[in-house]
Amino acid sequence: MSVISHRYEFVYLFDVINGNPNGDPDAGNLPRLDPETNRGLVTDVALKRKIRNYVALEQEGAPGYAIYMQEKSVLNNQHKLAYEALSITPEAKKLPKEEAKARELTAWMCKNFFDVRAFGAVMTTEVNAGQVRGPVQIAFASSIDPVLPMEISITRMAVTNEKDLEKERTMGRKHILPYGLFRVHGFVSAKLAERTGFSDEDLQLLWRALTNLFEHDRSASRGEMAARKLIVFEHEHPMGNAPAHVLFDMVKVERVDGGAEAPEPGSPARGFADYRVSIDRSSLPAGVTINEMF
Amino acid sequence: MPYGIKLHIWGERALFTRPEMKVERVSYDVITPSAARGIIETIHWKPAIRWVVDSIQVLRPIRFESIRRNEVGSKLSAASVGKAIKAGRTDALVSYVEEDRQQRAATVLRDVGYVISAHFELTSQAGPDDNEGKHLDIFNRRARKGQCFQTPCLGTREFPANFALIENSDSMPTPDPSMAGERDLGWMLHDIDFASGMTSRFFRARMVNGLIEVPPLAADEVHS
């Protein structure tokens, strides 16, 4: 497991059909909206949650791939595998200085937990070394075009309480976006990876997680979500060869009029075929390679 | 300022949390000197140098937006990690988000742009081959190429910052016309004094035509 030696940036596109990609607790679970532009939003933490869940599913608690921040619905499979005996280094008797101790604790956490290694974690101690900054940083995802959430009333042919028995049924609400294509930017720092031991294998796992992010996250509220595109910029130099925003500007996502599901120009997008993704390779800075993962 | 630099930074959102409102986070109106220093340090920093922010030019109108997210309430305790190391297994060491969930709102800034003017000083850890020219060159070279140690952020890591070096020959970006006039931003965090027990130091931020002059951390008008 060698630590990654390049800086990366990525543009990730995913879409939703008739679902709620990320509910807003402030707005009664309506899909999140940017109030100024009416574009849909998906928070960074929502995506990180899904990455954690994918890694937990794929790795099933393999040594080194435990997930610290767990959802209870993800079954704890860790007992399946005997723990890697080599990693046990009980040096408690020595009792080094506080700072060294904290470093030892964080190193152990990084070694064993994928999410600590990738995203970092805050471990409370009196010394600052108990804080891990992870190399992987994800920004908010926002939809390409403004979206219009729909509220759908549904009925349930049962009631919860006995005293409501005569009502026979209850009404509920679902909020959906008919369609939304979301774009998110992410960053992987080689220098922070050195500190947490985020390896090339971990990076491949991150790409796999993004590729299959929604395949194992089906639920009644999400509708049909799918990863559509992952464009990775790899810098030759660990510190990077070009500003991130220059690279992001190279990727354009545009509406095509008269796409598969929008016969009339100007009609709302209802499918990925209504968009065209293009990369302006002519302005690619030296030392950066583009990798279209899918 | 012989060894000064100017860095243009901008981004879609920013959160410079006010320390008095950090549970349901509310941002300051503008970037704090400590956040500006942090951004510069993601591009180049060595223990031999210390960055000092001289002024902050605010380029865009100050606007807010509220975002509520599910967060966890507690930090990982060092003792439980120690226990897990001894036991040699990770299965007991988890945090179930369902049991520890908090919903917190954050009032964040929208569509920000700043020009940070800063210089650096050599610290007592500077060796014989540390000189101003060398570090200034490294910083300028990196900033010009967009290189950084990690992606700089506008307060918190979910809000990445774009940056571009303003060279001596470049013209400054023009601030939005709404920045004209004088505004008192009240008491604002200057920086945390790590040398004396991590005490927070505050200063009275005044913005004149969008420009905030930042006093030195040790100045009389900066209070703990």
Side-chain angles (χ1 to χ4, degrees), chain B residues 92-128:
Chain B
L93 194 67
V94 290
S95 166
Y96 291 109
V97 284
E98 276 87 349
E99 288 169 4
D100 195 19
R101 179 171 286 167
Q102 296 182 346
Q103 291 193 335
R104 290 192 190 176
T107 306
V108 307
L109 290 167
R110 273 311 303 270
D111 192 24
V112 299
Y114 307 102
V115 175
I116 305 167
S117 304
H119 70 278
F120 64 83
E121 294 164 353
L122 292 178
T123 65
S124 55
Q125 291 189 56

Side-chain angles (χ1 to χ4, degrees), chain B residues 1-30:
Chain B
M1 224 60 68
Y3 300 113
I5 57 109
K6 280 193 169 62
L7 191 70
H8 180 196
I9 54 167
W10 69 99
E12 252 178 84
R13 292 183 179 78
L15 174 56
F16 309 109
T17 309
R18 287 174 185 270
E20 68 273 25
M21 287 182 272
K22 61 183 179 187
V23 177
E24 300 245 61
R25 292 177 290 265
V26 177
S27 177
Y28 278 116
D29 288 358
V30 299

Side-chain angles (χ1 to χ4, degrees), chain A residues 6-7 9 233-244 246-247 250 280-290, chain B residues 141-142 144-147:
Chain A
H6 301 284
R7 188 180 113 186
E9 261 93 39
F233 297 98
E234 182 178 310
H235 299 253
E236 216 170 86
H237 197 279
M239 303 291 278
N241 290 64
V246 171
L247 302 178
M250 288 167 58
D280 177 17
R281 289 172 194 268
S282 63
S283 56
L284 185 69
V288 180
T289 48
I290 301 179
Chain B
R141 199 165 58 231
R142 284 188 183 171
R144 210 173 281 140
K145 284 168 80 174
Q147 295 190 320

Side-chain angles (χ1 to χ4, degrees), chain A residues 13-33:
Chain A
L13 296 175
F14 63 91
D15 66 356
V16 58
I17 301 172
N18 293 333
N20 183 355
N22 189 199
D24 188 347
D26 254 351
N29 209 35
L30 221 72
R32 288 182 191 274
L33 283 184

Side-chain angles (χ1 to χ4, degrees), chain B residues 185-206:
Chain B
L185 300 175
W187 286 98
M188 192 164 112
L189 178 73
H190 184 300
D191 211 329
I192 299 185
D193 191 353
F194 293 95
S196 44
M198 294 181 69
T199 46
S200 308
R201 301 201 31 104
F202 295 86
F203 76 114
R204 191 86 200 220
R206 261 177 246 287

Side-chain angles (χ1 to χ4, degrees), chain A residues 71-87:
Chain A
E71 265 181 352
K72 267 200 168 159
S73 54
V74 176
L75 290 174
N76 201 341
N77 284 324
Q78 279 144 347
H79 55 269
K80 272 192 187 169
L81 288 151
Y83 197 70
E84 195 183 23
L86 288 170
S87 71

